[in-house]
Amino acid sequence: MSSPPVPSIGLRRLAGRMLAAAAALTIGLAASSAQAQETFRVGIVTFLSGPAAESFGVPARHGAEFLIEQLNRGAAPAPYNQVGFGGMRIEPIIVDENGGATKQVQELRNLYQRENVDAVVGYISSGDCLAVAPVAEELKKFLILFDCGTPRIFEDASYRYVFRTSAHATQDNVALARYMRARNINAGTFSMINQDYAWGQDSRSDFVAAMQQLYPQATANADLLPKFGAGQYGTEISALARANSNVIYSSLWGGDLQAFILQGAPRGVFQRSQLVLSAADHVLQPLGERMPNGTIIGARGAYGLMSADTPLNRWFFDGYSQARGGVYPVQAAYRVTQALLGLKAAVEKAMAANGGKKPTPEQLADALRGLEWDSPGGLIQMKLGNGHQAIQTMAIGRTRWDAARRQVVIEDIQRFAAECVNPPANMRSQDWIKAGFPGAKCDTPGN
């Protein structure tokens, strides 16, 4: 095949001038020229290895990857249908959270200083969140905590650059106690098993305080605090069997929760006591029929099988499930998705105010503070922690193995309004619970 003829120098110059003019016209007509060329680099930190990876960290990664791919194509439903973040292509840098708080502090610095990310969205472990939040603040870099549950983040400190776009663990435990009370679950005695770090300790404290309000005559029996990642629970299961309480409460999660259920079920512990789990939807698919029937569970929000039937949720639930070969999204996937949608809303709000330029960390912080946006898990409202901490709807239900469908289903679902199970602004969670939930706005009588 012969080569095409080469244009003369004059024609090349004319063509060059025409191309330059066309490019200038395109730039002039675009609402913002910069974002069409720029990318927005976002660090995403989640467990990719270790006992928290399979049922929690990896689904979070899959949720982020699905959403970012959809956003970069402009394929998300309105109001999220603008390409990327304000026209900027989203470039994720994904980091493994496994390794402990000291390692995560260094990884966070690397993301900001070496990878030059514009924001970080991350962290499942409460211990990691407590460690990295002050570092982001020191560096004056934008950070969204997408999951970790401890209320201490914004109840013990104040930040300008740090946000959490999901509700903290107080709502999990208040909702559990309200759910049991509304159904007259016998809870005259209860035992507890929680991990011995911020998440487990705070969850235990909130549950005990809620029980004291709603079950004032109840007696706490065994109170167990194994270390995170223990994996073996023979001693604890023996203690729970001896206690023979009406209720066994736990905030265990990830591989620890799976191990506890697999080791406890053959010994009949969950047949003699009502099992109550604050964050368990993520183990239903891997456990399958080994999940005890009738377990009362939360999902840290209205997520997965307990999510509301809305157009945005149907798009996310079905799209994620198709992308993952029929595996439906659970709490971690929902939580990272609502964080990224909140970041998108903040970026585009800031760009609308600054003439279409990529926002600075200060502009992002100003835009996200006090913001509200829709997510697949419902409305997210940044109402606590001076506008840095979210509240959201909470759902509780009971498990049943459906042999025909070959999966665990959740029945008798009750959703609690955000302001029913979260403290009001400027009131610490423990103080709110111990005062009898003042100002709580509950839709269901008796809650």
Side-chain angles (χ1 to χ4, degrees):
M1 180 180 294
S2 61
S3 300
V6 178
S8 69
I9 293 175
L11 287 175
R12 290 203 302 270
R13 287 175 178 170
L14 177 61
R17 286 196 295 270
M18 292 174 66
L19 288 172
L25 179 61
T26 300
I27 292 171
L29 293 175
S32 171
S33 61
Q35 71 264 32
Q37 304 300 321
E38 286 188 283
T39 62
F40 191 101
R41 292 169 63 85
V42 56
I44 297 174
V45 187
T46 182
F47 283 102
L48 304 178
S49 62
E54 177 191 4
S55 57
F56 219 100
V58 173
R61 175 179 185 161
H62 291 159
E65 290 174 337
F66 168 76
L67 181 67
I68 290 171
E69 188 269 338
Q70 294 289 306
L71 293 178
N72 280 337
R73 289 174 47 216
Y80 303 113
N81 51 333
Q82 184 178 8
V83 169
F85 288 167
M88 294 181 288
R89 181 175 180 81
I90 307 162
E91 182 181 344
I93 310 295
I94 301 178
V95 173
D96 189 358
E97 189 177 346
N98 196 25
T102 301
K103 179 175 181 287
Q104 292 314 310
V105 166
Q106 186 57 52
E107 292 284 7
L108 182 75
R109 291 184 182 276
N110 290 342
L111 282 169
Y112 290 132
Q113 297 171 342
R114 295 185 183 178
E115 298 290 348
N116 295 315
V117 299
D118 299 293
V120 171
V121 172
Y123 306 102
I124 292 168
S125 166
S126 290
D128 291 342
C129 283
L130 288 167
V132 299
V135 177
E137 192 72 9
E138 170 200 332
L139 297 174
K140 298 183 178 181
K141 297 293 186 179
F142 192 77
L143 170 64
I144 289 179
L145 307 173
F146 82 84
D147 181 67
C148 54
T150 177
R152 301 181 203 175
I153 302 293
F154 297 105
E155 290 188 351
D156 290 355
S158 178
Y159 297 102
R160 170 153 170 68
Y161 299 92
V162 182
F163 295 79
R164 177 163 48 191
T165 53
S166 56
H168 57 56
T170 293
Q171 74 158 15
D172 308 334
N173 299 290
V174 172
L176 280 175
R178 288 194 184 281
Y179 184 94
M180 291 193 297
R181 182 73 278 174
R183 285 152 183 76
N184 294 315
I185 300 294
N186 180 13
T189 58
F190 63 96
S191 290
M192 299 172 286
I193 176 169
N194 300 284
Q195 291 144 322
D196 191 13
Y197 76 110
W199 159 258
Q201 295 160 0
D202 293 343
S203 295
R204 172 201 171 278
S205 296
D206 285 347
F207 183 75
V208 170
M211 290 293 287
Q212 289 170 344
Q213 291 296 323
L214 299 172
Y215 285 89
Q217 305 305 318
T219 301
N221 291 339
D223 185 3
L224 309 170
L225 287 167
K227 67 178 182 178
F228 174 75
Q232 297 297 320
Y233 299 99
T235 300
E236 289 81 4
I237 291 167
S238 295
L240 294 171
R242 289 193 300 271
N244 197 28
S245 301
N246 301 127
V247 167
I248 295 174
Y249 160 81
S250 182
S251 64
L252 293 177
W253 59 282
D256 283 359
L257 178 56
Q258 290 187 61
F260 173 66
I261 290 173
L262 291 173
Q263 293 165 32
R267 297 177 61 175
V269 177
F270 309 137
Q271 295 174 352
R272 297 189 294 273
S273 301
Q274 172 65 60
L275 185 58
V276 176
L277 304 173
S278 66
D281 80 312
H282 60 291
V283 301
L284 298 185
Q285 292 178 99
L287 284 176
E289 60 186 324
R290 295 169 295 182
M291 184 73 188
N293 279 332
T295 301
I296 296 173
I297 71 165
R300 310 225 51 233
Y303 299 144
L305 299 181
M306 292 191 283
S307 57
D309 184 16
T310 66
L312 182 58
N313 185 44
R314 285 195 298 273
W315 169 80
F316 175 69
F317 189 99
D318 293 345
Y320 179 103
S321 299
Q322 291 169 10
R324 303 311 311 165
V327 175
Y328 62 80
V330 291
Q331 58 179 285
Y334 273 85
R335 288 192 149 212
V336 76
T337 294
Q338 71 193 37
L340 288 167
L341 290 178
L343 177 56
K344 177 178 173 66
V347 169
E348 292 171 2
K349 178 183 175 183
M351 292 176 72
N354 74 4
K357 296 177 290 187
K358 179 187 285 189
T360 65
E362 291 76 18
Q363 291 169 339
L364 278 176
D366 291 342
L368 187 54
R369 188 181 305 109
L371 193 63
E372 297 184 0
W373 67 95
D374 285 319
S375 80
L379 180 66
I380 307 302
Q381 300 173 288
M382 303 298 290
K383 283 198 168 185
L384 305 183
N386 295 316
H388 288 245
Q389 167 64 58
I391 63 172
Q392 62 187 98
T393 300
M394 179 65 187
I396 304 290
R398 302 187 76 155
T399 63
R400 179 179 63 82
W401 171 251
D402 188 321
R405 297 169 62 182
R406 299 295 300 169
Q407 72 170 62
V408 179
V409 296
I410 305 179
E411 302 175 322
D412 192 21
I413 297 169
Q414 182 173 351
R415 295 187 182 92
F416 297 87
E419 291 177 332
C420 175
V421 292
N422 287 278
N426 303 317
M427 192 169 190
R428 294 176 65 87
S429 299
Q430 277 282 304
D431 295 340
W432 176 64
I433 299 172
K434 291 177 179 179
F437 317 110
K441 299 175 183 178
C442 298
D443 298 330
T444 304
N447 281 342

